[in-house]
Amino acid sequence: MKKPELLVPAGDLEKLRTAILYGADAVYTGVEGLSLRAQQAEMTTAELAEGVRTAHQRGVKVYAAMNIAAKNSDLELVKQKTGELAEIGVDGVILSDPGVLAVVRRVAPHLPVHLSTQANTTNTEAVRFWHAQGVRRIILARELNLAEIAAIARDVPEVELEIFVHGAMCLAYSGRCLLSAYLTGRSANRGECTHPCRWEYMLTERSRPHEPLLVTEDKRYSYLLSAKDLRMIEYLPEVLAAGVSSLKIEGRMKTVYYVAVVTRTYRWALDAALKDPDGYRCAPEWLAELDKVSNRGYTTGFYLKHKGEQFAGLNTEESYRRSYGLAGTVLQYRPAEGKILVELRNQLTAGDETELLLPEATLALDSTTMTDENGQPLAAGHNSYRVYFRVDRPVPVGAVVRRRLPRSQLP
Ligand code: SF4
Protein backbone atom coordinates (compact mmCIF):
# COMPACT_ATOMS: atom_id res chain seq x y z
CA MET A 1 0.00 0.00 0.00
CA LYS A 2 1.21 3.48 -0.87
CA LYS A 3 2.16 5.56 2.18
CA PRO A 4 0.75 9.00 1.43
CA GLU A 5 2.11 12.16 3.00
CA LEU A 6 0.07 14.18 5.45
CA LEU A 7 -0.08 17.67 3.94
CA VAL A 8 -0.99 20.53 6.26
CA PRO A 9 -1.83 24.20 5.66
CA ALA A 10 0.71 26.76 6.86
CA GLY A 11 -0.52 30.29 6.30
CA ASP A 12 2.48 31.80 8.08
CA LEU A 13 5.75 30.77 9.71
CA GLU A 14 4.21 30.10 13.09
CA LYS A 15 1.66 27.74 11.55
CA LEU A 16 4.41 26.08 9.54
CA ARG A 17 6.36 25.34 12.73
CA THR A 18 3.17 24.17 14.42
CA ALA A 19 2.35 21.83 11.55
CA ILE A 20 5.85 20.34 11.72
CA LEU A 21 5.73 19.95 15.49
CA TYR A 22 2.42 18.08 15.36
CA GLY A 23 3.37 15.65 12.60
CA ALA A 24 3.02 17.06 9.09
CA ASP A 25 5.02 15.35 6.33
CA ALA A 26 4.60 18.39 4.11
CA VAL A 27 3.11 21.88 4.34
CA TYR A 28 1.69 24.29 1.81
CA THR A 29 1.50 28.03 1.89
CA GLY A 30 0.68 30.93 -0.40
CA VAL A 31 3.09 33.04 -2.41
CA GLU A 32 2.56 36.71 -1.65
CA GLY A 33 0.23 38.27 -4.22
CA LEU A 34 -0.38 35.07 -6.18
CA SER A 35 -2.30 32.58 -4.09
CA LEU A 36 -5.97 32.06 -3.46
CA ARG A 37 -5.79 33.13 0.15
CA ALA A 38 -4.94 36.78 0.06
CA GLN A 39 -2.75 38.49 2.62
CA GLN A 40 -3.42 36.61 5.86
CA ALA A 41 -2.21 33.29 4.46
CA GLU A 42 0.67 34.18 2.20
CA MET A 43 4.39 34.41 2.78
CA THR A 44 7.01 36.73 1.42
CA THR A 45 9.99 35.15 -0.29
CA ALA A 46 12.13 35.79 2.80
CA GLU A 47 9.57 34.06 5.02
CA LEU A 48 9.33 31.17 2.59
CA ALA A 49 13.10 30.82 2.55
CA GLU A 50 13.10 30.58 6.34
CA GLY A 51 10.17 28.16 6.23
CA VAL A 52 11.94 25.93 3.73
CA ARG A 53 15.10 25.87 5.87
CA THR A 54 13.12 25.00 8.99
CA ALA A 55 11.07 22.33 7.25
CA HIS A 56 13.96 20.69 5.44
CA GLN A 57 15.94 20.37 8.66
CA ARG A 58 13.12 18.11 9.83
CA GLY A 59 12.61 16.28 6.55
CA VAL A 60 9.33 18.11 5.82
CA LYS A 61 8.47 19.36 2.32
CA VAL A 62 7.14 22.82 1.45
CA TYR A 63 4.82 23.58 -1.45
CA ALA A 64 4.05 27.15 -2.49
CA ALA A 65 0.72 28.11 -4.01
CA MET A 66 0.49 30.49 -6.95
CA ASN A 67 -3.00 29.32 -7.87
CA ILE A 68 -4.48 32.67 -8.77
CA ALA A 69 -6.54 32.99 -11.98
CA ALA A 70 -3.80 35.13 -13.47
CA LYS A 71 -4.28 38.19 -15.63
CA ASN A 72 -1.57 39.55 -17.91
CA SER A 73 -0.72 42.07 -15.23
CA ASP A 74 0.15 39.18 -12.84
CA LEU A 75 2.60 37.43 -15.13
CA GLU A 76 5.65 39.55 -14.37
CA LEU A 77 5.24 38.77 -10.67
CA VAL A 78 4.77 35.08 -11.51
CA LYS A 79 8.06 35.14 -13.39
CA GLN A 80 9.90 36.89 -10.60
CA LYS A 81 8.48 34.67 -7.85
CA THR A 82 9.17 31.49 -9.82
CA GLY A 83 12.86 32.36 -10.00
CA GLU A 84 12.91 33.08 -6.26
CA LEU A 85 11.04 29.88 -5.35
CA ALA A 86 13.45 27.79 -7.40
CA GLU A 87 16.35 29.56 -5.72
CA ILE A 88 15.15 28.90 -2.17
CA GLY A 89 14.37 25.27 -2.94
CA VAL A 90 10.64 24.83 -2.45
CA ASP A 91 9.56 21.27 -3.16
CA GLY A 92 6.77 22.23 -5.51
CA VAL A 93 4.59 25.07 -6.73
CA ILE A 94 0.81 24.78 -6.79
CA LEU A 95 -0.90 26.48 -9.72
CA SER A 96 -4.07 26.25 -11.73
CA ASP A 97 -3.63 28.61 -14.65
CA PRO A 98 -2.07 27.31 -17.91
CA GLY A 99 -0.36 30.67 -18.39
CA VAL A 100 1.26 30.45 -14.97
CA LEU A 101 2.29 26.89 -15.81
CA ALA A 102 3.92 28.08 -19.04
CA VAL A 103 5.89 30.75 -17.20
CA VAL A 104 6.99 28.34 -14.47
CA ARG A 105 8.12 25.73 -16.97
CA ARG A 106 10.08 28.33 -18.91
CA VAL A 107 11.73 30.02 -15.92
CA ALA A 108 12.39 26.94 -13.78
CA PRO A 109 11.91 23.74 -15.79
CA HIS A 110 13.01 21.53 -12.91
CA LEU A 111 10.67 23.02 -10.31
CA PRO A 112 8.01 20.37 -9.51
CA VAL A 113 4.52 21.56 -10.42
CA HIS A 114 1.32 20.59 -8.63
CA LEU A 115 -1.99 21.36 -10.32
CA SER A 116 -4.44 23.04 -7.94
CA THR A 117 -7.87 21.61 -7.25
CA GLN A 118 -9.10 24.87 -8.76
CA ALA A 119 -8.22 23.40 -12.17
CA ASN A 120 -11.06 20.92 -11.58
CA THR A 121 -9.38 17.71 -12.78
CA THR A 122 -11.94 14.90 -12.78
CA ASN A 123 -10.75 12.20 -15.21
CA THR A 124 -7.80 10.12 -16.39
CA GLU A 125 -7.38 11.89 -19.73
CA ALA A 126 -7.23 15.25 -18.01
CA VAL A 127 -4.56 13.87 -15.65
CA ARG A 128 -2.56 12.57 -18.65
CA PHE A 129 -2.96 15.90 -20.40
CA TRP A 130 -1.58 17.89 -17.49
CA HIS A 131 1.18 15.36 -16.89
CA ALA A 132 2.26 15.78 -20.52
CA GLN A 133 2.52 19.52 -19.84
CA GLY A 134 5.07 18.86 -17.13
CA VAL A 135 2.78 18.65 -14.10
CA ARG A 136 4.09 16.18 -11.53
CA ARG A 137 1.13 16.10 -9.16
CA ILE A 138 -2.61 16.63 -9.63
CA ILE A 139 -4.79 17.79 -6.76
CA LEU A 140 -8.01 16.14 -7.85
CA ALA A 141 -11.38 17.88 -7.78
CA ARG A 142 -13.30 17.44 -4.56
CA GLU A 143 -16.34 16.38 -6.56
CA LEU A 144 -14.94 12.88 -7.26
CA ASN A 145 -15.81 9.84 -5.16
CA LEU A 146 -13.21 7.37 -3.87
CA ALA A 147 -14.00 4.73 -6.51
CA GLU A 148 -13.40 7.27 -9.27
CA ILE A 149 -10.18 8.41 -7.60
CA ALA A 150 -8.96 4.81 -7.29
CA ALA A 151 -9.67 4.22 -10.99
CA ILE A 152 -7.63 7.27 -11.97
CA ALA A 153 -4.79 6.18 -9.68
CA ARG A 154 -4.76 2.76 -11.37
CA ASP A 155 -4.78 4.33 -14.85
CA VAL A 156 -1.89 6.71 -14.23
CA PRO A 157 0.40 5.29 -11.53
CA GLU A 158 3.20 7.50 -12.83
CA VAL A 159 1.37 10.67 -11.69
CA GLU A 160 1.18 11.78 -8.07
CA LEU A 161 -2.40 12.37 -6.94
CA GLU A 162 -3.47 14.46 -3.99
CA ILE A 163 -6.90 14.68 -2.36
CA PHE A 164 -8.42 16.63 0.50
CA VAL A 165 -9.30 14.67 3.63
CA HIS A 166 -10.35 17.45 5.99
CA GLY A 167 -11.56 21.03 6.02
CA ALA A 168 -14.04 23.45 4.55
CA MET A 169 -15.90 22.56 1.40
CA CYS A 170 -16.80 25.09 -1.22
CA LEU A 171 -20.33 25.01 -2.54
CA ALA A 172 -19.18 26.15 -5.96
CA TYR A 173 -17.75 23.57 -8.37
CA SER A 174 -14.05 23.30 -7.51
CA GLY A 175 -14.25 26.72 -5.94
CA ARG A 176 -15.11 28.51 -9.16
CA CYS A 177 -17.45 31.06 -7.75
CA LEU A 178 -18.49 34.66 -8.28
CA LEU A 179 -20.70 35.06 -5.24
CA SER A 180 -18.14 37.00 -3.25
CA ALA A 181 -17.14 39.14 -6.24
CA TYR A 182 -20.80 39.84 -6.96
CA LEU A 183 -21.79 40.77 -3.41
CA THR A 184 -18.65 42.45 -2.14
CA GLY A 185 -16.41 43.09 -5.13
CA ARG A 186 -13.83 40.70 -3.66
CA SER A 187 -13.30 37.74 -5.95
CA ALA A 188 -12.70 34.19 -4.73
CA ASN A 189 -10.71 33.66 -7.90
CA ARG A 190 -8.31 36.37 -6.82
CA GLY A 191 -7.87 35.01 -3.31
CA GLU A 192 -10.31 37.39 -1.66
CA CYS A 193 -13.37 35.27 -0.93
CA THR A 194 -15.50 36.79 1.85
CA HIS A 195 -17.45 33.51 2.22
CA PRO A 196 -20.92 34.89 1.54
CA CYS A 197 -22.14 31.31 1.11
CA ARG A 198 -21.88 31.12 4.92
CA TRP A 199 -23.99 34.20 5.53
CA GLU A 200 -27.54 34.26 6.74
CA TYR A 201 -30.10 35.07 4.03
CA MET A 202 -33.58 36.48 4.15
CA LEU A 203 -36.56 36.55 1.85
CA THR A 204 -38.48 39.74 1.23
CA GLU A 205 -41.80 40.10 -0.46
CA ARG A 206 -41.70 42.89 -3.05
CA SER A 207 -44.35 45.10 -1.46
CA ARG A 208 -42.96 44.63 2.07
CA PRO A 209 -39.26 45.38 1.68
CA HIS A 210 -38.90 46.22 5.37
CA GLU A 211 -40.31 42.92 6.57
CA PRO A 212 -37.61 40.39 5.72
CA LEU A 213 -38.17 36.75 6.56
CA LEU A 214 -35.39 34.44 7.65
CA VAL A 215 -35.34 31.31 5.56
CA THR A 216 -36.04 28.63 8.14
CA GLU A 217 -36.19 24.90 8.18
CA ASP A 218 -37.40 22.74 11.06
CA LYS A 219 -37.57 25.82 13.26
CA ARG A 220 -33.85 26.47 12.76
CA TYR A 221 -32.07 28.76 10.35
CA SER A 222 -31.28 27.28 7.00
CA TYR A 223 -27.92 28.37 5.71
CA LEU A 224 -28.97 27.37 2.25
CA LEU A 225 -25.63 27.80 0.51
CA SER A 226 -23.31 26.72 3.26
CA ALA A 227 -21.48 23.40 3.11
CA LYS A 228 -20.45 21.35 6.12
CA ASP A 229 -16.74 20.61 6.53
CA LEU A 230 -15.06 17.54 5.12
CA ARG A 231 -13.87 14.91 7.62
CA MET A 232 -12.52 11.59 6.34
CA ILE A 233 -10.79 10.37 9.49
CA GLU A 234 -13.33 7.57 9.95
CA TYR A 235 -12.63 6.22 6.45
CA LEU A 236 -8.84 6.32 6.19
CA PRO A 237 -8.47 2.67 5.06
CA GLU A 238 -10.85 3.40 2.16
CA VAL A 239 -8.89 6.58 1.42
CA LEU A 240 -5.58 4.67 1.49
CA ALA A 241 -7.00 2.00 -0.79
CA ALA A 242 -7.60 4.68 -3.43
CA GLY A 243 -3.82 4.82 -3.88
CA VAL A 244 -3.09 8.55 -3.77
CA SER A 245 0.22 10.16 -2.80
CA SER A 246 -0.92 12.98 -0.57
CA LEU A 247 -3.71 13.62 1.93
CA LYS A 248 -4.41 17.28 2.33
CA ILE A 249 -5.95 19.25 5.15
CA GLU A 250 -7.66 22.44 4.03
CA GLY A 251 -7.31 25.76 5.80
CA ARG A 252 -4.45 28.20 5.30
CA MET A 253 -6.59 30.85 7.01
CA LYS A 254 -7.17 28.73 10.11
CA THR A 255 -5.53 29.39 13.46
CA VAL A 256 -2.43 27.87 15.02
CA TYR A 257 -4.76 26.04 17.39
CA TYR A 258 -6.66 24.51 14.48
CA VAL A 259 -3.43 23.45 12.77
CA ALA A 260 -2.16 21.81 15.97
CA VAL A 261 -5.31 19.83 16.70
CA VAL A 262 -6.14 18.70 13.20
CA THR A 263 -2.56 17.80 12.32
CA ARG A 264 -1.86 15.66 15.36
CA THR A 265 -5.25 13.97 15.19
CA TYR A 266 -4.76 12.96 11.56
CA ARG A 267 -1.15 11.96 12.33
CA TRP A 268 -2.36 9.56 15.00
CA ALA A 269 -5.11 8.21 12.78
CA LEU A 270 -3.04 7.91 9.62
CA ASP A 271 -0.24 6.07 11.43
CA ALA A 272 -2.80 3.65 12.86
CA ALA A 273 -4.43 3.10 9.47
CA LEU A 274 -1.08 2.51 7.76
CA LYS A 275 0.00 0.06 10.44
CA ASP A 276 -3.15 -2.02 10.32
CA PRO A 277 -5.68 -0.94 7.70
CA ASP A 278 -7.91 -3.96 8.27
CA GLY A 279 -8.04 -3.46 12.01
CA TYR A 280 -8.42 0.32 11.83
CA ARG A 281 -11.00 1.81 14.14
CA CYS A 282 -11.45 5.55 14.36
CA ALA A 283 -11.03 6.27 18.07
CA PRO A 284 -13.86 8.28 19.67
CA GLU A 285 -11.25 10.62 21.17
CA TRP A 286 -10.03 11.53 17.67
CA LEU A 287 -13.55 12.56 16.71
CA ALA A 288 -13.82 14.45 19.99
CA GLU A 289 -10.61 16.33 19.16
CA LEU A 290 -11.94 17.38 15.77
CA ASP A 291 -15.09 18.63 17.48
CA LYS A 292 -12.91 20.92 19.61
CA VAL A 293 -11.89 23.09 16.67
CA SER A 294 -14.06 25.48 14.74
CA ASN A 295 -16.25 23.53 12.35
CA ARG A 296 -19.61 23.70 10.63
CA GLY A 297 -20.64 20.13 11.24
CA TYR A 298 -18.94 17.35 9.29
CA THR A 299 -19.60 15.47 6.07
CA THR A 300 -17.79 12.97 3.87
CA GLY A 301 -18.44 15.23 0.89
CA PHE A 302 -18.64 13.34 -2.38
CA TYR A 303 -16.20 10.60 -1.47
CA LEU A 304 -18.55 7.83 -0.44
CA LYS A 305 -21.06 8.35 -3.22
CA HIS A 306 -20.78 6.04 -6.13
CA LYS A 307 -22.66 7.81 -8.82
CA GLY A 308 -23.46 11.36 -9.68
CA GLU A 309 -22.86 14.35 -7.52
CA GLN A 310 -24.93 13.50 -4.51
CA PHE A 311 -23.26 15.81 -2.08
CA ALA A 312 -25.45 15.94 0.98
CA GLY A 313 -23.39 18.13 3.19
CA LEU A 314 -25.29 21.37 3.57
CA ASN A 315 -25.24 22.92 6.98
CA THR A 316 -28.88 23.74 7.60
CA GLU A 317 -28.66 23.99 11.34
CA GLU A 318 -26.22 26.54 12.59
CA SER A 319 -23.07 28.45 11.86
CA TYR A 320 -19.67 27.64 13.36
CA ARG A 321 -19.30 25.21 16.26
CA ARG A 322 -16.40 25.63 18.62
CA SER A 323 -15.89 24.62 22.22
CA TYR A 324 -12.19 25.37 22.77
CA GLY A 325 -9.90 28.15 21.67
CA LEU A 326 -6.24 29.09 21.69
CA ALA A 327 -5.00 30.20 25.11
CA GLY A 328 -1.31 30.54 24.30
CA THR A 329 1.85 28.93 23.00
CA VAL A 330 4.91 27.61 24.81
CA LEU A 331 7.99 29.81 24.52
CA GLN A 332 10.30 27.83 26.78
CA TYR A 333 10.59 24.69 28.88
CA ARG A 334 12.59 25.10 32.09
CA PRO A 335 13.49 21.59 33.24
CA ALA A 336 15.29 22.70 36.41
CA GLU A 337 12.15 24.43 37.66
CA GLY A 338 9.63 22.01 36.12
CA LYS A 339 7.91 24.95 34.41
CA ILE A 340 6.87 26.18 31.03
CA LEU A 341 6.81 29.80 29.91
CA VAL A 342 3.66 30.50 27.91
CA GLU A 343 2.80 33.54 25.88
CA LEU A 344 -0.93 34.09 26.20
CA ARG A 345 -2.89 34.81 23.03
CA ASN A 346 -6.22 35.40 24.72
CA GLN A 347 -7.52 36.18 28.16
CA LEU A 348 -7.00 33.30 30.60
CA THR A 349 -8.58 33.30 34.04
CA ALA A 350 -7.44 31.13 36.93
CA GLY A 351 -9.94 28.29 37.03
CA ASP A 352 -10.43 28.11 33.27
CA GLU A 353 -10.26 24.53 32.00
CA THR A 354 -6.88 24.53 30.29
CA GLU A 355 -4.97 21.86 28.37
CA LEU A 356 -1.49 21.55 26.93
CA LEU A 357 -1.32 19.82 23.56
CA LEU A 358 1.76 17.67 23.13
CA PRO A 359 2.33 15.93 19.81
CA GLU A 360 1.56 12.58 21.42
CA ALA A 361 -0.87 13.43 24.24
CA THR A 362 -2.98 16.05 25.99
CA LEU A 363 -2.04 17.24 29.49
CA ALA A 364 -4.43 19.00 31.82
CA LEU A 365 -2.93 22.28 33.07
CA ASP A 366 -4.12 23.66 36.37
CA SER A 367 -4.77 27.29 35.49
CA THR A 368 -4.94 28.22 39.19
CA THR A 369 -1.17 27.59 39.31
CA MET A 370 -0.51 30.31 36.72
CA THR A 371 2.17 32.70 37.94
CA ASP A 372 4.14 35.67 36.72
CA GLU A 373 7.91 35.56 36.31
CA ASN A 374 8.42 36.22 40.03
CA GLY A 375 6.32 33.21 40.94
CA GLN A 376 3.39 35.38 42.06
CA PRO A 377 -0.01 33.75 41.41
CA LEU A 378 -2.10 35.40 38.70
CA ALA A 379 -5.88 35.62 38.86
CA ALA A 380 -5.97 36.34 35.14
CA GLY A 381 -3.66 36.91 32.21
CA HIS A 382 -4.32 38.82 29.03
CA ASN A 383 -3.23 38.59 25.42
CA SER A 384 0.60 38.78 25.16
CA TYR A 385 1.16 38.23 28.90
CA ARG A 386 4.02 35.86 29.65
CA VAL A 387 3.02 33.39 32.34
CA TYR A 388 4.31 30.18 33.89
CA PHE A 389 2.77 26.80 34.60
CA ARG A 390 4.11 23.74 36.37
CA VAL A 391 4.60 20.65 34.23
CA ASP A 392 6.16 17.30 35.01
CA ARG A 393 7.58 16.39 31.61
CA PRO A 394 9.51 17.99 28.73
CA VAL A 395 7.46 20.23 26.50
CA PRO A 396 8.52 21.36 23.01
CA VAL A 397 8.68 25.04 22.13
CA GLY A 398 5.63 26.02 20.10
CA ALA A 399 3.31 23.57 21.86
CA VAL A 400 -0.22 24.92 22.02
CA VAL A 401 -2.25 25.61 25.16
CA ARG A 402 -6.03 25.66 24.80
CA ARG A 403 -8.88 26.57 27.07
CA ARG A 404 -12.51 25.60 27.12
CA LEU A 405 -14.51 28.62 26.01
CA PRO A 406 -16.89 30.09 28.55
CA ARG A 407 -20.53 29.82 27.56
CA SER A 408 -20.66 33.57 26.82
CA GLN A 409 -18.00 33.14 24.11
CA LEU A 410 -19.52 30.15 22.38
CA PRO A 411 -20.73 30.94 18.89
S1 SF4 B 1 -18.43 32.21 -1.48
FE1 SF4 B 1 -18.49 30.11 -0.66
S2 SF4 B 1 -18.85 28.85 -2.49
FE2 SF4 B 1 -18.07 30.82 -3.23
S3 SF4 B 1 -15.80 30.59 -3.36
FE3 SF4 B 1 -16.27 31.47 -1.35
S4 SF4 B 1 -16.36 29.65 0.02
FE4 SF4 B 1 -16.61 28.90 -2.11
Side-chain angles (χ1 to χ4, degrees):
M1 179 186 296
K2 211 175 215 165
K3 184 182 173 202
E5 69 183 10
L6 180 61
L7 175 55
V8 174
D12 58 28
L13 278 173
E14 185 186 25
K15 293 176 199 171
L16 178 141
R17 292 189 195 101
T18 304
I20 294 170
L21 173 64
Y22 287 98
D25 297 311
V27 297
Y28 64 101
T29 190
V31 175
E32 190 181 34
L34 295 173
S35 84
L36 283 181
R37 291 286 178 273
Q39 292 151 8
Q40 305 91 329
E42 296 183 332
M43 290 197 207
T44 63
T45 304
E47 289 168 332
L48 258 165
E50 188 181 334
V52 167
R53 271 195 304 277
T54 306
H56 285 181
Q57 278 164 7
R58 290 159 183 80
V60 172
K61 292 183 174 167
V62 178
Y63 309 132
M66 300 198 293
N67 53 349
I68 192 171
K71 298 184 175 180
N72 274 351
S73 52
D74 296 312
L75 294 179
E76 196 46 46
L77 184 59
V78 170
K79 191 172 157 194
Q80 177 203 322
K81 289 286 184 182
T82 300
E84 293 171 3
L85 294 175
E87 181 81 22
I88 63 178
V90 297
D91 300 282
V93 292
I94 305 166
L95 54 80
S96 61
D97 182 272
V100 175
L101 173 62
V103 173
V104 170
R105 299 287 297 147
R106 202 160 51 238
V107 174
H110 301 298
L111 194 55
V113 173
H114 299 184
L115 190 71
S116 167
T117 194
Q118 197 84 1
N120 182 226
T121 310
T122 53
N123 63 72
T124 294
E125 288 304 333
V127 171
R128 287 199 179 112
F129 170 82
W130 287 112
H131 189 51
Q133 310 307 312
V135 173
R136 176 183 292 189
R137 176 183 296 188
I138 308 284
I139 305 161
L140 291 172
R142 281 182 248 208
E143 289 80 12
L144 292 172
N145 64 45
L146 286 176
E148 291 164 335
I149 292 166
I152 294 174
R154 276 194 302 276
D155 288 343
V156 279
E158 68 279 17
V159 187
E160 292 178 17
L161 300 177
E162 178 178 307
I163 61 171
F164 285 88
V165 288
H166 195 90
M169 298 283 285
C170 203
L171 196 75
Y173 203 62
S174 286
R176 296 172 172 210
C177 175
L178 278 176
L179 197 58
S180 179
Y182 177 71
L183 289 174
T184 68
R186 295 174 60 189
S187 170
N189 302 307
R190 308 283 301 173
E192 297 171 335
C193 180
T194 52
H195 305 107
C197 62
R198 275 92 158 122
W199 298 352
E200 211 171 273
Y201 288 90
M202 294 184 170
L203 275 179
T204 51
E205 196 274 323
R206 185 189 288 264
S207 66
R208 297 180 184 80
H210 304 300
E211 297 174 30
L213 299 168
L214 265 178
V215 179
T216 59
E217 191 174 292
D218 295 339
K219 299 185 198 146
R220 307 290 302 265
Y221 297 143
S222 174
Y223 291 75
L224 284 180
L225 302 173
S226 172
K228 290 181 178 177
D229 296 342
L230 182 66
R231 184 189 68 193
M232 288 302 287
I233 197 166
E234 291 157 285
Y235 301 95
L236 287 182
E238 289 89 335
V239 168
L240 291 175
V244 300
S245 303
S246 179
L247 305 181
K248 186 175 207 165
I249 292 166
E250 181 277 345
R252 275 188 280 138
M253 307 280 282
K254 303 281 195 194
T255 63
V256 162
Y257 170 59
Y258 182 94
V259 170
V261 170
V262 179
T263 304
R264 75 174 188 157
T265 308
Y266 271 86
R267 180 78 273 159
W268 294 338
L270 184 56
D271 288 348
L274 285 166
K275 198 167 162 200
D276 180 12
D278 294 334
Y280 179 79
R281 226 188 99 259
C282 177
E285 50 271 28
W286 300 342
L287 295 177
E289 278 297 307
L290 296 176
D291 281 341
K292 290 177 182 169
V293 293
S294 166
N295 71 86
R296 304 182 61 85
Y298 288 118
T299 172
T300 53
F302 296 90
Y303 284 146
L304 303 183
K305 304 294 178 189
H306 294 291
K307 53 180 180 322
E309 290 168 358
Q310 301 170 340
F311 178 64
L314 284 184
N315 178 354
T316 56
E317 295 169 357
E318 56 193 287
S319 57
Y320 291 101
R321 303 169 182 179
R322 189 160 72 105
S323 52
Y324 284 76
L326 179 65
T329 52
V330 173
L331 295 180
Q332 201 180 47
Y333 168 59
R334 298 188 170 178
E337 300 159 60
K339 283 182 181 174
I340 48 172
L341 170 60
V342 173
E343 181 174 67
L344 294 184
R345 307 285 284 273
N346 278 299
Q347 158 117 3
L348 186 67
T349 305
D352 281 353
E353 191 180 317
T354 309
E355 292 177 333
L356 171 63
L357 307 188
L358 300 175
E360 67 288 349
T362 302
L363 290 187
L365 278 186
D366 183 353
S367 58
T368 62
T369 66
M370 178 167 62
T371 66
D372 65 14
E373 61 186 340
N374 301 314
Q376 295 303 311
L378 287 170
H382 302 280
N383 189 8
S384 80
Y385 270 35
R386 293 185 167 199
V387 300
Y388 294 82
F389 294 92
R390 291 209 161 280
V391 290
D392 60 2
R393 66 167 91 177
V395 176
V397 170
V400 162
V401 177
R402 73 179 168 199
R403 65 169 187 148
R404 183 187 274 280
L405 295 175
R407 190 173 288 276
S408 60
Q409 289 182 29
L410 291 176

